[in-house]
């Protein structure tokens, strides 16, 4: 036993003398170049106060394939050319008052046919018809209300009934010593008229004659009513500044209304407040416009989808290229280095766009070796940012023997080129010393034994 201790002591002296000794890495304050600061809540705030801006990902990782100038398609929808036809409320019935203007009065423009007795023999006199035909003459009532008769002169007859006109002519013939045998009739009625328009087959002007002109007769003279809209059509009568209205349905149902008498100056207009043809044309146009908009939207969506697909392909290619650059280490990155009693000595890449903590860097690389590491000797070594002191190193010391202190590791932010160091346990150091020099002792002891 004493021989073994002697051999061990000799071996240690021999290894030391030969310069072969195990050197344990540690952090110590030397020559003012290294300062060790305990990691506390306050010192973490100081450490995190250093200026640092994480590297950013390229903009292609934040871009999307949408956007653009909006839907294009076939362009703007053309404006509607037709107005919407709104259905009116129930039509009001406003009948014109009954009128009886009396006998027909001759007016300017009427053509009168005057037949006088022609002198001749008895046979001719007996043939009164032939004599009357030979002496029939038409006269137009001129603008002064008179007709001009040869050998008689101008006779005022405007405003007179046919009977009164005959009396006036008789008096004029007698005064001019002409045989007052004659007959008088109205050949053309031009002075009194009723106008008809609107939804009729043939807008016209109907004359007022000796026979009273009724509403149905006037409409028949205009070719009848020409509208498909029976519900909202009406017959409007304008007389002496007043507008009367007869709904078409009421007109068709009431014979007495159909026989309403018209007088000179009446204006009849068949109107509809809801024109079916225009309404149908309006809705056909709206359907066409809707189809146009739908087609344009589909076309625009197809164009947009194609454009988005192309953009996505370009963005994806740019992102893949960047990932390939990272894979081949062709991108400038910031690193933190791990050494000492960690499971895997390596470098930890600081992430893009955000900071990383001591805990992130440590446990992203499997942490430290529980059986060999000394958790009370965990350091973050950081170079001095102070100008003129490039050799100054600050060692932030975390005593991890108290597990609660590891909460500080989640708040301690890493900076580029930080070094995380975990010292070994004393027993680990001793074991490694033994592992290093025992083979040399055995070799040395064997050599001494041989001697």
């Amino acid at each position: 036993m004493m021989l073994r201790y002697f051999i061990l002591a000799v071996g240690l002296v021999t290894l030391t003398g030969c310069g072969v000794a195990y050197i344990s890495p540690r952090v110590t304050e030397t020559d003012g170049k290294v300062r060790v600061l305990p990691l506390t809540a306050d010192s973490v705030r100081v450490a995190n106060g250093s200026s640092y801006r994480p590297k950013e990902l390229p903009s292609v990782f934040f871009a999307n394939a949408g956007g653009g100038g909006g839907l294009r398609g076939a362009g703007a929808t053309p404006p509607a050319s037709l107005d919407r036809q709104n259905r009116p409320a129930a039509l009001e019935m406003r009948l014109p008052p009954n009128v009886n203007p009396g006998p027909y009065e001759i007016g300017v423009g009427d053509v009168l046919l005057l037949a006088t007795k022609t002198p001749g023999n008895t046979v001719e006199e007996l043939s009164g018809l032939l004599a009357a035909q030979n002496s029939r003459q038409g006269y137009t009532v001129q603008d002064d209300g008179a007709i001009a008769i040869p050998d008689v002169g101008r006779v005022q007859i405007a405003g007179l009934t046919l009977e009164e006109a005959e009396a006036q002519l008789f008096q004029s013939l007698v005064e001019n010593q002409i045989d007052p045998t004659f007959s008088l009739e109205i050949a053309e009625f031009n002075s009194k008229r009723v106008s008809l328009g609107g939804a009729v087959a043939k807008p016209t002007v109907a004359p007022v004659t000796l026979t009273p002109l009724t509403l149905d007769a006037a409409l028949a003279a205009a070719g009848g009513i020409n509208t498909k809209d029976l519900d909202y059509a009406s017959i409007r009568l304008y007389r002496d500044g007043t507008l009367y209205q007869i709904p078409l349905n009421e007109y068709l149902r009431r014979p007495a209304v159909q026989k309403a008498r018209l007088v000179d100056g009446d204006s009849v207009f068949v109107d509809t407040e809801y024109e079916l043809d225009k309404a149908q044309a309006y809705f056909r146009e709206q359907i066409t416009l809707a189809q146009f908009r739908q087609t344009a939207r589909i076309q625009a969506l197809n164009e947009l989808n194609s454009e988005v697909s192309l953009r996505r392909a370009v963005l994806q290619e740019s992102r893949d290229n960047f990932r390939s650059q990272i894979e081949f280490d062709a991108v400038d990155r910031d690193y933190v280095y791990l050494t000492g009693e960690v499971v895997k000595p390596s470098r930890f890449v600081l992430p893009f766009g955000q900071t990383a903590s001591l805990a992130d860097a440590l446990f992203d690389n499997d942490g430290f070796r529980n059986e060999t590491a000394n958790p009370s000797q965990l350091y973050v070594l950081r170079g001095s940012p102070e100008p003129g002191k490039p050799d100054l190193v600050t060692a932030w010391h975390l005593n991890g023997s108290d597990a609660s202190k590891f909460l500080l590791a989640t708040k301690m932010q890493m900076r580029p080129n930080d070094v995380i160091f975990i010292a070994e346990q004393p027993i680990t150091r001793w074991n490694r010393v033994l592992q290093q020099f025992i083979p040399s002792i055995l070799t040395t002891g064997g050599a001494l034994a041989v001697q």
Side-chain angles (χ1 to χ4, degrees), residues 47-201:
N48 293 344
S50 61
S51 176
Y52 170 61
R53 183 176 181 179
K55 295 186 181 299
E56 297 290 341
L57 283 169
S59 59
V60 293
F61 285 89
F62 303 98
N64 59 66
L71 297 180
R72 291 183 294 276
T77 304
S81 60
L82 299 174
D83 295 330
R84 183 184 183 89
Q85 298 293 307
N86 296 317
R87 289 183 176 272
L91 297 176
E92 181 183 357
M93 179 80 161
R94 297 191 299 273
L95 288 174
N98 293 325
V99 292
N100 185 10
Y104 184 85
E105 294 180 352
I106 300 172
V108 176
D110 287 344
V111 177
L112 302 181
L113 192 60
L114 177 63
T116 58
K117 182 178 179 182
T118 302
N121 53 35
T122 305
V123 175
E124 292 174 341
E125 292 177 357
L126 293 176
S127 181
L129 179 59
L130 179 60
Q133 289 177 349
N134 290 336
S135 62
R136 291 170 68 91
Q137 181 66 44
Y139 299 95
T140 301
V141 180
Q142 298 176 3
D143 56 1
D144 61 351
I147 58 174
I149 303 175
D151 300 329
V152 176
R154 304 185 67 81
V155 180
Q156 292 288 333
I157 60 173
L160 304 179
T161 65
L162 190 58
E163 182 179 357
E164 292 171 343
E166 289 176 346
Q168 183 68 25
L169 283 173
F170 180 85
Q171 183 66 30
S172 297
L173 292 174
V174 171
E175 290 176 354
N176 289 278
Q177 298 180 357
I178 298 174
D179 186 357
T181 303
F182 68 93
S183 64
L184 182 66
E185 59 183 272
I186 302 176
E188 296 181 15
F189 297 87
N190 298 321
S191 63
K192 296 176 176 54
R193 297 184 176 185
V194 173
S195 61
L196 296 103
V200 293

Side-chain angles (χ1 to χ4, degrees), residues 284-297:
R284 281 196 300 267
E285 183 181 57
Q286 291 300 311
I287 292 172
T288 302
L289 291 176
Q291 292 173 344
F292 177 85
R293 285 191 290 266
Q294 181 68 14
T295 302
R297 183 172 294 274

Side-chain angles (χ1 to χ4, degrees), residues 423-443:
E424 60 190 356
Q425 297 182 17
I427 186 64
T428 302
R429 185 183 306 114
W430 175 247
N431 287 338
R432 287 173 178 169
V433 169
L434 293 178
Q435 291 173 4
Q436 186 174 11
F437 72 74
I438 283 178
S440 299
I441 293 175
L442 295 176
T443 303

Side-chain angles (χ1 to χ4, degrees), residues 313-441:
V314 172
L315 291 175
Q316 188 60 41
E317 182 179 9
S318 299
R319 293 166 184 169
D320 291 341
N321 290 339
F322 184 77
R323 292 188 182 99
S324 298
Q325 291 176 351
I326 291 179
E327 181 181 353
F328 290 105
D329 206 12
V331 178
D332 184 25
R333 302 295 302 275
D334 293 327
Y335 299 97
V336 171
Y337 301 91
L338 294 93
T339 186
E341 296 303 313
V342 293
V343 174
K344 183 173 62 176
S346 59
R347 64 182 184 180
F348 170 73
V349 184
L350 292 179
F352 289 104
Q354 62 180 357
T355 59
S357 67
L358 171 58
D360 293 331
L362 187 60
F363 293 104
D364 188 72
N365 289 270
D366 301 329
F368 54 83
R369 298 180 183 274
N370 292 326
E371 66 277 8
T372 62
N374 184 357
S376 67
Q377 299 295 315
L378 194 155
Y379 297 89
V380 176
L381 307 178
R382 180 174 298 173
S384 173
E386 300 178 21
K389 297 181 180 180
D391 298 333
L392 180 61
V393 176
T394 301
W396 302 97
H397 176 212
L398 175 64
N399 183 3
S401 60
D402 182 357
S404 64
K405 298 294 179 126
F406 274 104
L407 285 174
L408 296 173
T410 63
K411 299 179 181 179
M412 175 68 177
Q413 297 177 1
M414 294 290 94
R415 296 292 185 263
N417 300 320
D418 281 354
V419 176
I420 300 173
F421 170 74
I422 303 177
E424 60 190 356
Q425 297 182 17
I427 186 64
T428 302
R429 185 183 306 114
W430 175 247
N431 287 338
R432 287 173 178 169
V433 169
L434 293 178
Q435 291 173 4
Q436 186 174 11
F437 72 74
I438 283 178
S440 299
I441 293 175

